[in-house]
């Protein structure tokens, strides 16, 4: 059958050629996806916002250098003076409570947010995928047990559940993330389970079973990869939503201490000045900047991932595809 | 399956879920710290402390403690709320109406505005109205609720001085107008004032509702608008709409009577589901607007490690949430005859 195919020469080629061949349809798919994405303006805007925030995060040490001798970059530099308006004494976005540099917090806060978003969504989706796939594929008592556990978690509204978990832990960024993981895995497990239930009935899965593949191989090699599309969409959007909820928790007071470069905490730090006036250089100011800037950043961050997720849905949904 | 039997079955299924919830939060509180701390003060001697441990069965194994706790819950003994300085059940009763008032009004605003905007947006697809609506809907799900609340306070209270902020009424006016003498028929302040014929207080109570309810409903408006738009678009492409149009019905009638009714079905589910988000959002909204409801009480409880209150709050929210979901499912079956309950 493969008569006309030339034998491949050289070790490297012999090694890479089959991979290239087997990857070819996937690469074609990827290219097509990018093509579809380019057509959606909103998805592009979303991608642009996300990229800008990524750049801020990556180049944070350049954009807002950490003062000499300070070990924790998330500790915002401060002068312990009363707040200054934007532009004063070289503080582009002004200073806040304890005289922290708002600009520094905005820049390093993007790192904090990305860290929260990626970590929470990644861990929660791995948990969700594994548990959901096992429940859907094996069925029976395992399925029943796992789904009843998700029932319990889903019967408490997300923010309330996260509050309850965060309440028992000490106040820190890491514990907010832990609380969010507890909240976030059950919906993922549900989505993946539903997908696995329908995918496992396909003939190609039966074929894989028929050639004698191990159960776990069939599941994680053939079923799971094809069940991920809907979860991927919600995971992308959740990258934003996670930051939104984390900011809310941090705002209430579960998060890191005052003066940490986390946008939610920055809003709550600035709140006490918000409806008052400060005097700088003999002029009265109404300190809007401490609350407005970090809030805008949260808004942009969440919006970016929402737009991107929306676009991704159009791309991944086979009904909307060709 | 008959509706009655279905409801009974669903209610029975709630029992294991709520038991699970109770085990989960009970475990959380025992991880969280010594539950006796709420009852011990510095002036107590060792014997008194030991007596407290004895009284609350804290020397027993944890499953025995859980059993005592659970039987207490079932008998209406939910413990003592340090934050409210009252039994938890009393605290819940006191704060519940305030939260209920706020959430109900918010959901009303969200449903009316969301369905309206969603319909307009679908009918005028790709027109400027549609774009504006979609941008608003997107920002609605992306705005931090606490930040929105602060911005609204800044503009309407601090700068324009149009609207009041904090509590459910202005204290001076409340006292001047004989607020404490009011008879509380419903627990909804504005309704009670109206029923008492106290119009100055009625206006005041309404004004106090404006900012918190806008804050709380904003995200839900966005969610409802989105789902209404997409389901409306889906319905408008169906054959029976073409039939209705070709019968010569006016576009108004087609949209209002034929399309919108069916497009409302998925929206109902979303309204129910967003109720959980509202309860969560109420926590933030109430904290910022000093609204004396369950949310503010619970944040205070959490920040002061008041475990009895936290447990009570989570349990009550879970019960409300699962019941609302049940109602939504029933409503769904009622609205869409194709759906079979089972």
């Amino acid at each position: 059958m493969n008569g006309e195919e030339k034998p491949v020469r050289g070790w490297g080629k012999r090694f890479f050629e089959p991979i290239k061949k087997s990857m070819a349809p996937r690469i074609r798919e990827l290219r097509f996806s990018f093509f579809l994405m380019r057509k959606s303006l909103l998805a592009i805007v979303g991608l642009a916002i996300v990229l800008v925030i990524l750049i801020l995060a990556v180049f944070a040490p350049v954009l807002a250098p950490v003062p000499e001798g300070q070990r924790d970059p998330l500790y915002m530099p401060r002068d312990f003076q009363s707040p200054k308006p934007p532009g004063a004494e070289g503080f582009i976005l002004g200073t806040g409570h304890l005289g922290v540099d708002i600009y520094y917090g905005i820049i390093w806060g993007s790192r904090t947010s990305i860290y929260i978003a990626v970590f929470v969504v990644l861990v929660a989706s791995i948990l969700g995928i594994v548990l959901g796939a096992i429940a859907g594929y094996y069925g029976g008592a395992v399925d029943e047990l796992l789904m009843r556990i998700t029932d319990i978690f889903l019967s408490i509204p997300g923010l309330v559940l996260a509050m309850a978990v965060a309440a028992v832990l000490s106040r820190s960024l890491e514990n907010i993330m832990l609380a969010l993981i507890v909240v976030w895995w059950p919906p993922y497990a549900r989505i993946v389970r539903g997908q696995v239930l329908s995918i496992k009935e396909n003939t190609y899965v039966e074929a894989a079973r028929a050639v004698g593949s191990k159960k776990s191989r069939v599941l994680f090699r053939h079923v799971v990869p094809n069940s991920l599309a809907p979860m991927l969409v919600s995971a992308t959007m959740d990258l934003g939503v996670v930051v939104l909820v984390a900011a809310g928790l941090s705002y209430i007071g579960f998060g890191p201490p005052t003066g940490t470069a986390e946008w939610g905490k920055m809003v709550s730090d600035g709140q006490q000045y918000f409806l008052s006036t400060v005097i700088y250089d003999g002029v009265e100011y109404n300190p809007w900047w401490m609350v407005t800037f970090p809030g805008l950043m949260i808004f942009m961050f969440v919006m970016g991932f929402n737009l991107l997720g929306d676009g991704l849905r159009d791309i991944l949904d086979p009904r909307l595809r060709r | 399956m008959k509706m009655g039997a279905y409801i009974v079955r669903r209610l029975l299924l709630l029992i294991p879920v709520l038991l699970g919830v109770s085990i989960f939060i009970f475990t959380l509180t025992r991880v969280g710290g010594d539950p006796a701390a709420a009852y011990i003060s510095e002036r107590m001697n060792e014997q008194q402390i030991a007596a407290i441990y004895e009284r609350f069965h804290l020397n027993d194994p944890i499953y025995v403690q859980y059993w005592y706790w659970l039987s207490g819950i079932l008998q209406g003994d939910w413990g003592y709320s340090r934050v409210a300085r009252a039994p938890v059940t009393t605290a819940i009763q006191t704060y519940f109406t305030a939260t209920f008032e706020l959430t109900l009004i918010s959901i009303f605003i969200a449903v009316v505005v969301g369905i309206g905007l969603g319909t307009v947006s679908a009918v005028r697809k790709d027109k400027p109205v549609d774009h504006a609506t979609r941008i608003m809907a997107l920002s609605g799900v992306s705005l931090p609720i606490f930040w929105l609340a602060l911005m609204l306070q800044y503009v309407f209270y601090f700068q324009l001085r149009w609207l009041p902020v904090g509590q459910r009424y202005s204290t001076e006016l409340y006292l001047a107008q004989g607020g404490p003498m009011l008879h509380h028929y419903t627990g909804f302040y504005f309704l009670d004032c109206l029923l008492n014929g106290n119009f100055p207080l009625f206006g005041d109570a309404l004004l106090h509702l404006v900012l918190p309810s806008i804050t709380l409903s904003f995200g839900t408006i966005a969610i409802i608008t989105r789902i209404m738009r997409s389901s409306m678009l889906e319905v408008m492409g169906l054959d029976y709409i073409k039939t209705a149009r070709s019968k010569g019905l006016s576009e108004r009638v087609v949209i209002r009577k034929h399309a919108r009714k069916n497009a409302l079905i998925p929206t109902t589910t979303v309204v129910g589901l967003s109720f959980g988000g509202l309860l969560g959002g109420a926590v933030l909204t109430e904290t910022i607007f000093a609204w004396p409801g369950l949310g503010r009480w619970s944040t205070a409880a959490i920040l002061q490690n008041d475990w009895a209150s936290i447990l009570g709050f989570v349990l009550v929210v879970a019960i409300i949430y699962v019941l609302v979901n049940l109602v939504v499912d029933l409503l769904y079956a009622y609205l869409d005859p194709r759906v079979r309950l089972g």
Side-chain angles (χ1 to χ4, degrees):
Chain A
M1 265 165 90
N2 296 341
E4 61 256 47
E5 205 169 294
K6 282 178 193 157
V8 189
R9 293 191 184 280
W11 181 86
K13 270 199 169 167
R14 220 180 299 161
F15 183 73
F16 283 114
E17 210 58 33
I19 296 180
K20 236 171 149 181
K21 224 179 196 168
S22 71
M23 286 300 281
R26 280 175 207 190
I27 291 172
R28 220 168 29 238
E29 276 295 301
L30 214 62
R31 279 216 181 124
F32 186 59
S33 297
F34 277 123
F35 167 72
L36 282 176
M37 192 148 172
R38 274 212 305 270
K39 287 201 306 190
S40 153
L41 176 71
L42 285 181
I44 292 296
V45 173
L47 190 67
I49 295 175
V50 169
L51 282 179
V52 167
I53 291 174
L54 266 179
I55 290 171
L56 288 188
V58 170
F59 293 103
V62 184
L63 293 169
V66 183
E68 199 97 10
Q70 180 184 316
R71 281 174 62 206
D72 180 9
L74 293 186
Y75 177 93
M76 291 158 71
R78 56 204 69 180
D79 57 11
F80 297 102
Q81 289 172 13
S82 68
K84 298 183 207 26
E89 297 174 27
F91 293 107
I92 306 173
L93 302 180
T95 63
H97 180 56
L98 303 174
V100 293
D101 182 0
I102 300 289
Y103 167 77
Y104 182 95
I106 293 290
I107 299 288
W108 283 91
S110 60
R111 257 196 195 198
T112 317
S113 297
I114 288 172
Y115 173 53
I116 297 174
V118 172
F119 191 81
V120 170
V121 171
L122 200 68
V123 175
S125 48
I126 289 172
L127 271 175
I129 290 170
V130 171
L131 294 175
I134 290 174
Y137 194 69
Y138 293 96
V142 185
D143 184 25
E144 196 60 34
L145 180 71
L146 281 171
M147 286 306 109
R148 293 299 79 80
I149 293 176
T150 57
D151 273 349
I152 291 168
F153 283 94
L154 290 173
S155 64
I156 307 172
L159 186 68
V160 175
L161 178 61
M163 276 170 64
V165 176
V168 300
L169 306 165
S170 56
R171 317 266 184 261
S172 75
L173 205 60
E174 281 69 23
N175 286 337
I176 282 190
M177 286 161 40
L178 194 64
L180 289 176
I181 290 169
V182 172
V183 174
W184 242 276
W185 72 268
Y188 288 156
R190 283 288 183 86
I191 298 173
V192 172
R193 172 182 175 268
Q195 283 291 308
V196 165
L197 278 179
S198 77
I199 297 283
K200 78 172 180 183
E201 302 300 332
N202 280 336
T203 29
Y204 69 84
V205 177
E206 211 181 313
R209 260 202 304 264
V211 298
S213 303
K214 267 192 299 185
K215 247 189 167 178
S216 57
R217 189 183 153 83
V218 175
L219 175 57
F220 285 104
R221 176 88 209 176
H222 298 280
V223 178
V224 169
N226 289 303
S227 318
L228 292 185
M231 212 210 76
L232 217 61
V233 173
S234 36
T236 310
M237 291 184 146
D238 284 349
L239 284 172
V241 184
V242 159
V243 167
L244 196 62
V245 180
L249 288 174
S250 178
Y251 171 83
I252 298 176
F254 291 118
T258 297
T260 307
E262 195 278 328
W263 296 331
K265 189 66 196 168
M266 285 170 71
V267 171
S268 94
D269 286 347
Q271 188 187 347
Q272 51 188 310
Y273 296 91
F274 196 47
L275 302 181
S276 65
T277 46
V278 293
I279 296 171
Y280 174 74
D281 219 9
V283 188
E284 261 193 17
Y285 290 94
N286 161 235
W288 51 273
W289 54 89
M290 317 171 194
V291 168
T292 310
F293 293 125
L296 269 179
M297 287 309 285
I298 303 173
F299 176 54
M300 295 305 281
F301 190 97
V302 184
M303 183 89 143
F305 280 104
N306 267 328
L307 288 170
L308 196 60
D310 246 3
L312 213 57
R313 172 168 42 212
D314 296 347
I315 289 163
L316 292 175
D317 189 339
R319 278 175 306 171
L320 298 173
R321 238 181 132 114
R322 287 148 225 254
Chain B
M1 203 177 193
K2 286 243 178 67
M3 192 74 118
Y6 175 76
I7 296 176
V8 170
R9 206 174 71 97
R10 280 287 300 268
L11 285 176
L12 286 178
L13 277 175
L14 285 185
I15 294 172
V17 169
L18 288 176
L19 269 182
V21 170
S22 74
I23 292 175
F24 176 69
I25 45 184
F26 179 79
T27 318
L28 272 185
T29 59
R30 293 303 137 124
V31 174
D34 195 336
Y39 304 98
I40 294 173
S41 71
E42 286 164 13
R43 269 168 282 160
M44 288 179 173
N45 60 32
E46 296 220 346
Q47 277 157 342
Q48 284 170 312
I49 291 174
I52 281 176
Y53 270 83
E54 197 57 41
R55 196 175 135 214
F56 294 102
H57 314 285
L58 294 174
N59 297 322
D60 293 329
I62 187 146
Y63 55 89
V64 179
Q65 289 184 35
Y66 172 72
W67 178 248
Y68 278 116
W69 177 75
L70 187 67
S71 42
I73 293 280
L74 293 176
Q75 289 164 27
D77 172 17
W78 288 39
Y80 185 79
S81 165
R82 247 186 315 143
V83 172
R85 292 166 205 272
V88 171
T89 39
T90 316
I92 289 175
Q93 280 165 18
T94 320
Y95 298 129
F96 179 75
T97 42
T99 301
F100 195 51
E101 180 183 40
L102 187 57
T103 21
L104 215 61
I105 286 181
S106 302
I107 218 155
F108 177 74
I109 296 175
V111 165
V112 171
V113 177
I115 288 177
L117 281 181
T119 313
V120 170
S121 182
V123 172
R124 306 211 186 289
K125 186 169 182 276
D126 292 329
K127 299 271 162 53
V129 186
D130 183 30
H131 291 307
T133 308
R134 291 178 75 185
I135 289 172
M136 205 212 79
L138 254 168
S139 57
V141 289
S142 312
L143 266 181
I145 190 167
F146 52 93
W147 188 66
L148 174 67
L150 289 172
M151 289 296 153
L152 287 175
Q153 282 188 2
Y154 185 75
V155 174
F156 292 103
Y157 167 73
F158 189 70
Q159 292 291 352
L160 298 173
R161 307 252 166 219
W162 286 358
L163 291 166
V165 154
Q167 298 289 342
R168 297 166 82 179
Y169 47 79
S170 315
T171 315
E172 302 98 65
L173 190 70
Y174 185 74
L175 293 174
Q177 291 288 338
M181 312 284 283
L182 289 181
H183 195 283
H184 290 284
Y185 299 100
T186 57
F188 286 21
Y189 270 34
F190 73 101
L191 268 184
D192 286 341
C193 296
L194 198 62
L195 291 174
N196 282 288
N198 194 332
F199 292 103
L201 262 188
F202 167 71
D204 184 54
L206 266 191
L207 285 181
H208 275 84
L209 262 171
V210 175
L211 289 183
S213 54
I214 290 178
T215 307
L216 190 52
S217 59
F218 201 69
T220 319
I221 291 177
I223 296 170
I224 294 178
T225 306
R226 272 176 135 181
I227 189 82
M228 189 64 199
R229 177 179 181 273
S230 68
S231 63
M232 194 71 185
L233 282 176
E234 203 179 311
V235 169
M236 300 263 282
L238 294 179
D239 286 341
Y240 81 93
I241 295 293
K242 268 183 217 148
T243 314
R245 279 197 185 125
S246 55
K247 279 197 300 190
L249 293 177
S250 71
E251 192 63 20
R252 214 177 113 103
V253 174
V254 173
I255 288 166
R256 292 216 174 160
K257 294 254 151 117
H258 294 247
R260 192 158 69 181
K261 260 193 178 161
N262 280 330
L264 277 176
I265 295 170
T267 312
T268 324
T269 330
V270 171
V271 171
L273 290 177
S274 58
F275 197 76
L278 272 179
L279 285 173
V283 173
L284 287 166
T285 311
E286 286 179 5
T287 310
I288 296 170
F289 286 101
W291 190 262
L294 289 176
R296 197 179 65 149
W297 171 59
S298 70
T299 26
I302 284 172
L303 295 176
Q304 294 177 36
N305 290 322
D306 179 357
W307 288 109
S309 305
I310 299 169
L311 272 165
F313 172 70
V314 177
L315 206 56
V316 112
V317 167
I319 292 172
I320 296 172
Y321 192 42
V322 289
L323 287 180
V324 167
N325 278 334
L326 174 60
V327 171
V328 169
D329 284 355
L330 294 176
L331 209 59
Y332 196 68
Y334 171 75
L335 289 174
D336 188 349
R338 289 168 304 180
V339 174
R340 292 261 178 81
L341 296 172

